[in-house]
């Protein structure tokens, strides 16, 4: 499988296939299907400084080829995570990526500080969280807002930081550049698109929280375009995601400029998908006599 | 990938689906079913109605797109079964049992009754079934088990005789399970309820099926679907 | 059918169901299916000042529940349009909406000037066109850019102007407000999302033009959210569109704040869809004893 | 909504589909077919292979998702036919005709040959068919029509005898149609080609199927799919 070996920032992964935050629990939920050691890496569910119970009401809603979710970052908080879940994640024998969210810069900083003492591969900094200080507009919408949190986190973090961009950013390229300039070591994109559903019988929004996050195959063409645009404008490595469900999809993202890719919603549809994608990429490299999958990164 | 053995319309829009399955499973567990690509996107959770001789049986009602597509399956067609998932009902060895099912909630109770008798043929089991209209499944229950009480179109909770030395297992509309849980608590009777939530992953990974309990949030798919009735915080 | 009667700007339409620009030719292509007089209105294919041959290479590509298109505004130019197509559109006995695009402000202004002498219901101003003066970034991305073209067009147009917003706008609410402040009489949203597809065998983008426009059911949840956001922030009427394929979808847009709706890609999938949607809305009003569909506008 | 009469595998991944259809249609026209909801999104253009007694017949090859789903249809299933669309081949009354088909391009030529003989049974028609391997459809052509010349696995254009007093109708790979159009032009023979483009609407509304011609852009679905060979600007 050495053709798939991928270096991302300073982490060497067995392959470029990572499972996305919020779709894979804390790494153990799919062990009935396959050994997570086969994966390039595992992103934890989004963790915040303090425990969060998540959102009330309906949390899932299907749309054509898409899924709206309003989980609301339900998680036990960084301390319980480190205590209870991280050790298990570390025993999975794959790259461990911890996804960190927060509503204030201090929350991000405290979480990152606590992780400094831990054995992880790197941090995925989720800046799609509503910034309570700026009227609830997510850190990931305006480049300046993102730059502030990224540069502060960068200063104190012992670990490499991959910033996870929101496709709702006003300008995805400026956002990416601002993160790079603020010290991001890598980028992942995209998080979910803000979407909505209405229950016409009740004449109400489906979600208590009004809007929710759209993921799944529906968003793939837009996510792919964003990865391509960002790749052309930054010099740090990119993890691409958004609707990937086959190895062909994965290869499209790699050709668009992603060094590695993540599988999110597809885990729900086909639990074996990450493994099938790894096998498909491996076979493609073999058939094309390519020594390293890295040769395809950004060829388009 | 599994093979459909039979998929027959039981009545109106209620179907009974039999599928080859070589693994094992427990009463109260469910499978996520799909026989489509991406439309709908997610698999559909359906309880185990019966299991024997390498064939698992489901009883389901056509509600929307997913169950509609399931209803089109024919013998020999291919279906994807993910599971069995969930904790299932507790395998109580000694206790006498009261089972209460409402609507499609009667489905998991069929396999539960069977299993409970299997592990202890001498126990006493009372079965209450609340359905909107007479149907062949009710007859099946009556043929297979003694002490089946049926309420057609009424309110099943009004019929239940709460017996102190029984454990109650229940599955059905939330309001039904809520009333039984409360009454059970009042009378000091242990009640287990099987909750129904929208599910994406079925394995505890997405937190889409969270259920509020006195012990904090629980995942209906993984920590449940069976919980102690008194632990559930009904909405 | 009077329950569906809808006033949009100063046009009274039989119903709120309009067929979207670029998906209905010049109004006559679907006459084999039904009489266009049954529709609320018809938007013309996008017209530019001068004829455009459209884009080379592949123009259509399917994605999960979506369609990428790169037609490139193929059209005969405003003069030929007025001469050859407009008279026929006017004979359709439905509201006639002319969709105008351009790469410079002057092109827009000249087209609008030429339409001043014509009998049409109103103009749909498509600001998703690349602005050649600003490095090809569409007028519809930055609010200032849109404001400029809208205010100039508004000054010279005899007809009402409905500005068609791009979902690629940096900030859809600011964009909508800028258009309102610049004199837009109404808004329509959304146009297509910028997306991409890669041919992994050829290691090339599918479209000669690199990116293309995503439409269809895939985009519905995002489009609906945008309509809702805009409705909460402007006081001019909105035509909502993006992935509508059933009367239930249409009603969601209406409840989110759209006074009328448009059907685009769905025309290709089910040519009878606009009629089925009209019938569905009519029946819904009847069953709910509602005198006017307008009562549902923005109830969410 | 139309009813499938038969859908049989002719060979490997080539299928013959018969559907009830009460309207009329012309040779060289096509229908847009679908038997799915949104996956794939668009309908699939397929030429008329035959039409008689209220049954329209298609011959198609499984290429991707759409034709794969078509291939799963069984008798009595429901299918949606949109059409007939396109201009079709010209109904020439008198002329002798040479038909040249390559690959699946042989499909519309079957109905064309039949129609051309119907309106003038005394004319002379030469039929050239280029296919990768022998198949039952070739036999069908030979059984039904005289003067059928077949090239298996080779280059059909090399076999054609260009006859001055013939009109050529052709359908197949672009390179084949290009060569025939050029040769026809050189020799002063009229050539009609049926082009293949990706299509969304089929009715001329989307401009997705534009074809460059000496007379400007034309819509393959509405102005075509049949054009004078010399008018097409091949890529
Ligand atoms: C653990 C579990 C076991 C189940 N066992 C059975 C069973 O044995 N037999 C049976 O008939 N049904 C069972 N269900 C319910 C069944 O999963 C839903 O009816 C089915 O998913 C509906 O899918 P659909 O595509 O047909 O309808 P959709 O179009 O998805 O929905 C139709 C209606 O059902 C509601 N709905 C959809 N999914 C759920 C859900 N998961 N929970 C609650 N409401 C929902 C929707 O809001 C909508 O009103 C079970 C559900 C769970 C969670
Ligand atoms: C007017 C017309 C008449 C046709 N008649 C027949 C016929 O009688 N029998 C038959 O077998 N086929 C016919 N075709 C071709 C047929 O429409 C395509 O093979 C089919 O749409 C492929 O769909 P799919 O979902 O199976 O494959 P997809 O997954 O959509 O595509 C598979 C491959 O085919 C290519 N492709 C898809 N659609 C088209 C298209 N419209 N034109 C060219 N390439 C395409 C794709 O690029 C891809 O490489 C006709 C096409 C046209 C335009
Ligand atoms: C149920 C669910 C929960 C998610 N939770 C998180 C999260 O906690 N943190 C985060 O950064 N992204 C989260 N995401 C976003 C995914 O990681 C991913 O960015 C997005 O779903 C797009 O990829 P996909 O289309 O492959 O799913 C979640 C997505 C889903 C569907
Ligand atoms: C093939 C095609 C051509 C289009 N051409 C135009 C156009 O010329 N002008 C315009 O404003 N929008 C154009 N659009 C955008 C549609 O009018 C509509 O805004 C978009 O497709 C979203 O709606 P839908 O999802 O219902 O299709 C086009 C869309 C398609 C699919
Ligand atoms: S369905 Fe995903 S956690 Fe329960
Ligand atoms: S397919 Fe739409 S114009 Fe030809």
């Amino acid at each position: 499988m050495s053709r798939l070996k991928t270096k991302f920032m300073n982490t060497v992964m067995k392959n470029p296939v990572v499972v996305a935050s919020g779709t894979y629990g804390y790494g153990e939920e799919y062990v009935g299907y396959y050994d997570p050691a086969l994966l390039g890496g595992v992103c934890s569910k989004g963790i915040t400084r303090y425990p969060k119970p998540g959102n009330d009401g309906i949390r899932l809603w299907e749309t054509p080829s898409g899924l709206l979710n309003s989980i609301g970052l339900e998680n036990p908080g960084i301390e319980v995570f480190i205590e209870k879940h991280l050790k298990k994640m570390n025993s999975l024998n794959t790259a461990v990526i911890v996804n960190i969210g927060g509503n204030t810069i201090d929350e991000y900083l405290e979480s990152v500080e606590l992780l400094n003492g831990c054995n992880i591969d790197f941090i995925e900094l989720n800046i799609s969280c509503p910034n309570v200080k700026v009227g609830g507009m997510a850190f990931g919408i305006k480049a300046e807002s993102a730059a502030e949190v990224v540069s502060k986190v960068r200063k104190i973090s012992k670990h490499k930081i991959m910033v996870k961009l929101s496709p709702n950013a006003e300008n995805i390229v400026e956002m990416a550049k601002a993160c790079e300039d603020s010290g991001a070591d890598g980028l992942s994109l995209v998080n979910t698109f803000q979407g909505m559903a209405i229950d016409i019988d009740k004449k109400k929004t489906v979600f208590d929280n009004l809007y929710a996050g759209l993921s799944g195959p529906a968003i793939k063409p837009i996510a792919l375009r964003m990865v391509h645009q960002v790749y052309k404008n930054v010099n740090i490595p990119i993890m691409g995601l958004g609707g990937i469900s086959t190895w062909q999809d994965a290869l499209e993202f790699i050709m668009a400029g992603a060094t590695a890719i993540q599988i999110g919603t597809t885990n729900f549809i086909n639990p074996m998908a990450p493994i099938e994608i790894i096998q498909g990429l491996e076979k493609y490299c073999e058939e094309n006599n390519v020594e390293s999958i890295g040769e395809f990164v950004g060829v388009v | 990938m599994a093979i459909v053995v039979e998929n027959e319309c039981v009545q109106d829009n209620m179907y009974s689906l039999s599928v080859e399955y070589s693994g094992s499973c427990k009463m109260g567990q469910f499978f996520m079913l799909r026989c489509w690509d991406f439309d709908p996107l997610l698999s559909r959770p359906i309880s185990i109605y019966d299991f024997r001789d390498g064939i698992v049986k489901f009883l389901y009602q056509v509600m929307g797109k997913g169950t509609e597509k399931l209803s089109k399956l024919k013998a020999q067609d291919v279906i994807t079964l993910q599971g069995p998932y969930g904790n299932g009902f507790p395998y109580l060895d000694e206790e006498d049992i009261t089972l209460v099912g409402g609507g499609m909630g009667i489905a998991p109770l069929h396999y539960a009754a069977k299993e409970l008798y299997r592990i202890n043929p001498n126990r006493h089991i009372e079965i209450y079934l609340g359905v909107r209209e007479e149907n062949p499944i009710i007859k099946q229950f009556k043929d297979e088990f003694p002490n089946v009480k049926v309420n057609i179109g009424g309110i099943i909770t009004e019929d239940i005789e709460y017996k102190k030395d029984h454990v109650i297992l229940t599955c059905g509309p939330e309001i039904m399970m809520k009333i039984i849980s409360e009454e059970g608590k009042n009378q000091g009777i242990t009640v287990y309820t099987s909750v129904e939530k929208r599910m994406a992953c079925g394995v505890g990974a997405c937190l889409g099926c969270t259920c509020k309990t006195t012990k904090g949030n629980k995942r209906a798919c993984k920590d449940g679907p069976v919980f102690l009735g008194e632990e559930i915080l009904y909405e």
Side-chain angles (χ1 to χ4, degrees), chain A, chain B:
Chain A
M1 292 292 229
S2 67
R3 295 176 203 258
L4 295 191
K5 206 160 83 179
T6 297
K7 190 162 178 237
F8 192 88
M9 303 192 302
N10 60 351
T11 298
V12 176
M13 306 191 298
K14 285 167 205 151
N15 59 63
V17 179
V18 172
V19 285
S21 179
T23 68
Y24 210 78
Y26 300 107
E28 293 195 303
E29 279 69 16
Y30 288 98
V31 289
Y33 283 94
Y34 59 87
D35 182 352
L38 296 171
L39 297 170
V42 171
C43 290
S44 75
K45 168 76 195 152
I47 308 293
T48 51
R49 175 65 189 89
Y50 301 104
K52 277 171 81 85
N55 292 335
D56 283 344
I58 285 180
R59 289 184 170 195
L60 300 167
W61 191 260
E62 286 169 278
T63 69
S65 301
L67 176 66
L68 283 165
N69 90 76
S70 177
I71 308 297
L73 277 183
E74 175 177 342
N75 81 93
I78 187 79
E79 281 151 312
V80 173
F81 166 75
I82 290 174
E83 212 173 286
K84 249 187 77 180
H85 300 290
L86 188 53
K87 193 183 266 173
K88 285 188 196 163
M89 281 186 79
N90 276 323
S91 72
L92 294 177
N93 191 17
T94 185
V96 171
I97 303 159
V98 178
N99 182 289
I100 293 294
N103 293 120
T104 65
I105 293 189
D106 284 344
E107 280 175 31
Y108 279 107
L109 293 175
E110 289 174 35
S111 298
V112 168
E113 194 115 56
L114 285 164
L115 280 175
N116 274 342
C118 300
N119 175 24
I120 67 172
D121 286 281
F122 52 92
I123 289 171
E124 180 174 64
L125 199 71
N126 173 12
I127 56 173
S128 303
C129 309
N131 179 346
V132 289
K133 288 238 178 91
V134 193
M137 177 178 284
F139 285 101
I141 304 293
K142 297 216 180 269
E144 315 85 70
S145 196
E148 193 187 349
V149 59
V150 172
S151 58
K152 290 192 172 155
V153 163
R154 179 57 284 167
K155 272 198 204 98
I156 65 147
S157 177
K158 216 192 76 177
H159 301 290
K160 294 274 181 194
I161 302 290
M162 171 172 82
V163 180
K164 184 165 182 182
L165 304 185
S166 164
N168 307 306
E170 296 202 335
N171 183 317
I172 197 76
V173 170
E174 277 174 25
M175 175 59 76
K177 286 203 243 176
C179 291
E180 182 180 33
D181 293 344
S182 310
D185 303 294
L187 299 171
S188 59
L189 66 156
V190 298
N191 212 314
T192 54
F193 287 75
Q194 207 177 28
M196 185 183 193
I198 290 175
D199 185 324
I200 55 172
D201 295 325
K202 300 199 181 124
K203 301 187 181 58
K204 278 203 182 141
T205 54
V206 163
F207 296 102
D208 283 13
N209 225 8
L210 193 56
Y211 303 144
L214 182 67
S215 64
I219 67 171
K220 201 200 90 179
I222 318 180
L224 185 68
R225 181 263 295 176
M226 289 181 169
V227 166
H228 186 258
Q229 281 183 315
V230 167
Y231 176 73
K232 296 287 176 199
N233 286 280
V234 300
N235 295 303
I236 48 178
I238 295 168
M239 258 197 214
L241 74 154
I244 295 176
S245 74
T246 63
W247 67 264
Q248 289 94 335
D249 291 342
L251 198 56
E252 280 192 72
F253 276 80
I254 291 169
M255 289 183 175
T259 300
I261 57 97
Q262 294 184 14
I263 314 293
T265 305
T266 295
N267 289 305
F268 308 153
I269 302 169
N270 173 12
M272 288 304 292
I275 303 304
E276 291 168 9
I277 289 169
I278 291 166
Q279 289 167 347
L281 292 175
E282 175 79 17
K283 193 152 164 254
Y284 183 85
C285 288
E286 265 171 47
E287 285 171 2
N288 285 266
N289 270 312
V290 163
E291 286 308 311
S292 162
I293 184 87
E295 292 181 31
F296 293 118
V297 175
V299 294
V300 167
Chain B
M1 299 292 238
I3 305 293
V4 172
V5 176
E6 190 181 38
N7 187 31
E8 73 176 332
C9 182
V10 172
Q11 175 172 311
D12 298 338
N13 58 359
M14 196 192 288
Y15 288 76
S16 162
L17 170 69
S18 302
V19 181
E20 285 179 14
Y21 172 68
S22 57
S24 63
C25 51
K26 293 187 288 185
M27 59 176 177
Q29 286 191 310
F30 63 95
F31 285 84
M32 300 282 285
L33 273 55
R34 64 187 303 134
C35 61
W36 50 82
D37 285 347
F38 286 144
D39 183 25
L41 200 67
L42 301 174
S43 308
R44 296 296 189 250
I46 304 285
S47 303
I48 297 163
Y49 175 80
D50 203 353
F51 175 54
R52 77 175 155 177
D53 304 337
I55 290 175
V56 60
K57 202 163 173 179
F58 304 98
L59 181 72
Y60 64 95
Q61 194 163 15
V62 173
M63 296 292 292
K65 203 169 217 177
T67 46
E68 168 84 31
K69 290 200 172 169
L70 288 179
S71 76
K72 297 284 190 293
L73 285 169
K74 300 191 192 83
Q76 299 309 317
D77 282 350
V78 162
I79 183 175
T80 299
L81 297 191
Q82 296 158 346
Y85 291 150
N87 56 356
F89 288 117
Y91 272 72
L92 305 166
D93 292 335
E94 303 294 334
E95 294 81 346
D96 287 340
I97 310 275
T98 297
L99 298 174
V100 190
M104 289 312 295
I106 66 176
L109 297 189
H110 179 268
Y111 189 49
K114 205 171 128 171
E115 285 288 272
L116 289 166
Y117 275 122
R118 182 179 60 77
I119 57 175
N120 181 349
N122 301 320
R123 70 190 351 154
H124 187 81
I125 302 182
E126 305 255 328
I127 305 179
Y128 294 91
L129 304 175
V131 290
R132 234 169 293 157
E133 45 177 354
E134 185 65 61
N135 73 49
I137 297 300
I138 298 296
K139 187 170 175 314
Q140 211 164 309
F141 267 90
K142 285 185 180 161
D143 289 349
E144 291 182 45
F145 311 114
N147 312 319
V148 177
K149 299 180 180 83
V150 179
N151 184 314
I152 311 280
I155 299 172
I156 187 76
T157 46
E158 292 175 356
D159 298 350
I160 304 172
E161 203 183 316
Y162 290 86
K163 297 198 173 164
K164 294 280 176 212
D165 50 350
H166 275 222
V167 170
I168 302 179
L169 308 186
T170 175
C171 184
E174 190 157 310
I175 179 70
M176 180 194 97
M177 298 198 287
K178 182 180 173 182
I179 291 171
I180 296 171
S181 298
E182 280 167 2
E183 194 57 34
K185 197 174 173 193
N186 289 343
Q187 303 202 19
I189 300 169
T190 305
V191 177
Y192 289 95
T193 61
S194 179
V195 305
E196 202 181 303
K197 290 275 173 183
R198 280 152 200 288
M199 293 181 176
C201 71
V203 298
C206 74
L207 307 187
C209 65
T210 292
C211 196
K212 289 187 192 173
T213 78
T214 53
K215 299 187 171 167
N217 281 353
K218 297 282 179 188
R219 297 163 301 178
C221 67
K222 178 98 177 180
D223 308 316
V226 177
F227 296 99
L228 273 173
E230 59 187 288
E231 285 181 2
I232 302 286
L233 300 173
Y234 294 98
E235 270 154 49

